[in-house]
Amino acid sequence: MMIHIPQVLDAAAVAHCRQVMQRAEWADGRITAGHQSAQVKNNMQMPEGSSAHRELGKLVMAGLDRSPLFMSAALPLHVFPPLFNRYDPGMSFGSHVDNSIRTNPFDGRRIRTDLSATLFISEPDEYDGGELIVEDTYGEHAVKLPAGDMILYPANSLHRVQPISRGSRIASFFWIQSMVRDDTKRALLFDLDMSIVRLNADVSGHPSVVNLTSTYHNLLRLWTEV
Ligand code: NI
């Protein structure tokens, strides 16, 4: 399941990010890549633990906390501290799958990567190329979103970033360990949750809302691992 989460960062937060990034130091993106992905990765990254990285990471985390859509879609247990990357002309990231286990650099905790997230910080018209291509059983999906918007996709999918031919593509990327590991179960819960919200909005106080909400929580109780 791929889910577009609009406006994780508002215009002011995006502008602030960009300001900090202009002054920040950048390093070779291979510092966080696994063995296979290091061979196809060509981009720049903000070093983990730098003051700019910590500040912007908190900004993204605060945006996630304010997003009911993210909470419902990801059912997050642990969120890996957001990383930030930049692709300049000629840079790209070839087809790869993300590492299944990541160690949080700040607390040493291991996170299973159930979901991958890319939060776009550049506007789509600022660069050519740079689409995130995600492969699933339905084929390939090209993603290029407005600044502040995020795409959530299963971390077990092959994906790549197309070469940049003009401008710079800046984004934040990170992983989530979900309380519900299985993508199919998580998708069912998300669909049920969204249906309850719509039903409640269309027919406020409909008695079935209580039953459906009960079913939602009972399924969540059955399927969560915390
Ligand atoms: Ni990746």
Side-chain angles (χ1 to χ4, degrees):
M1 181 174 63
M2 292 180 70
I3 298 162
H4 173 182
I5 318 255
Q7 289 283 291
V8 173
L9 296 181
D10 63 16
V14 168
H16 180 70
C17 262
R18 297 174 63 125
Q19 222 170 29
V20 171
M21 284 171 151
Q22 266 171 8
R23 297 192 303 265
E25 64 170 305
W26 291 86
D28 190 311
R30 278 170 286 207
I31 46 178
T32 57
H35 180 71
Q36 185 271 329
S37 56
Q39 295 170 30
V40 289
K41 187 175 188 183
N42 175 16
N43 66 3
M44 305 298 287
Q45 223 167 276
M46 276 170 61
E48 284 176 299
S50 65
S51 61
H53 168 247
R54 284 174 186 268
E55 183 194 341
L56 298 187
K58 281 184 197 151
L59 194 72
V60 172
M61 294 292 265
L64 297 176
D65 281 343
R66 282 192 301 267
S67 171
L69 189 59
F70 169 73
M71 290 298 161
S72 177
L75 297 169
L77 179 60
H78 303 299
V79 178
F80 189 89
L83 292 161
F84 298 86
N85 61 14
R86 193 184 83 215
Y87 294 79
D88 296 330
M91 294 182 175
S92 64
F93 195 166
S95 188
H96 66 280
V97 73
D98 293 340
N99 286 355
S100 50
I101 307 289
R102 291 256 163 196
T103 303
N104 181 325
F106 300 126
D107 64 12
R109 185 203 293 272
R110 278 195 280 269
I111 295 179
R112 187 188 64 233
T113 58
D114 296 321
L115 289 156
S116 295
T118 297
L119 197 174
F120 290 77
I121 295 173
S122 301
E123 291 291 357
D125 61 2
E126 291 179 280
Y127 57 98
D128 291 330
E131 296 83 0
L132 170 71
I133 310 284
V134 180
E135 292 179 31
D136 67 14
T137 48
Y138 296 105
E140 294 193 341
H141 308 273
V143 185
K144 192 172 191 173
L145 300 176
D149 287 17
M150 185 173 93
I151 189 80
L152 210 51
Y153 60 99
N156 61 4
S157 42
L158 277 175
H159 56 276
R160 64 183 189 273
V161 175
Q162 296 288 73
I164 307 286
S165 56
R166 176 188 65 89
S168 289
R169 174 202 196 265
I170 302 168
S172 176
F173 65 104
F174 50 95
W175 300 273
I176 298 110
Q177 179 172 338
S178 177
M179 292 186 285
V180 176
R181 175 185 198 151
D182 185 275
D183 194 58
T184 309
K185 289 177 179 165
R186 204 184 319 108
L188 282 170
L189 287 167
F190 179 61
D191 192 38
L192 180 55
D193 190 21
M194 292 296 107
S195 301
I196 293 168
V197 169
R198 273 194 301 274
L199 177 61
N200 213 12
D202 292 349
V203 197
S204 179
H206 193 286
S208 289
V209 169
V210 176
N211 298 81
L212 290 168
T213 303
S214 162
T215 302
Y216 174 82
H217 282 285
N218 288 329
L219 284 173
L220 192 59
R221 188 174 290 112
L222 203 60
W223 289 342
T224 45
E225 304 162 64
V226 294

